[in-house]
Amino acid sequence: MPMVTVSISPVQAAGIRDAVDSGGYASSSEVVREALRLWDAARKLGEYKDDILDGESHARSGRCVADMFADHEAVRRRSA
């Protein structure tokens, strides 16, 4: 898996440590991967919203929100 270095705030770092220490996640990497999956899903949802606001119909794009969530779940299962 590729390594990427990012800078986060002390508050964010503490939140990640708390999530791992409480047993919700096995590692800080797992927390960040989940956050990125959620960010990607929200970004995709925003793109669909923009398409609708711009007059793009679901029929014309050939995709719907259910497709986006199915894609997200498929990625989540592959990375698990």
Side-chain angles (χ1 to χ4, degrees):
M1 192 171 289
M3 297 285 294
V4 176
T5 301
V6 297
S7 297
I8 60 174
S9 74
V11 172
Q12 292 167 322
I16 291 171
R17 278 192 301 275
D18 288 345
V20 174
D21 292 346
S22 69
Y25 293 87
S27 68
S28 58
S29 293
E30 188 179 316
V31 176
V32 173
R33 281 192 297 272
E34 177 69 10
L36 288 171
R37 283 191 291 272
L38 292 170
W39 167 78
D40 190 46
R43 185 178 56 84
K44 288 177 182 176
L45 184 59
E47 289 173 3
Y48 285 108
K49 181 180 172 187
D50 290 344
D51 286 347
I52 292 167
L53 293 176
D54 289 340
E56 176 78 15
S57 72
H58 290 299
R60 189 166 141 208
S61 69
R63 295 182 48 81
C64 66
V65 174
D67 293 332
M68 183 274 300
F69 283 111
D71 291 347
H72 173 71
E73 284 301 305
V75 169
R76 187 182 65 77
R77 282 191 295 276
R78 282 194 302 267
S79 65

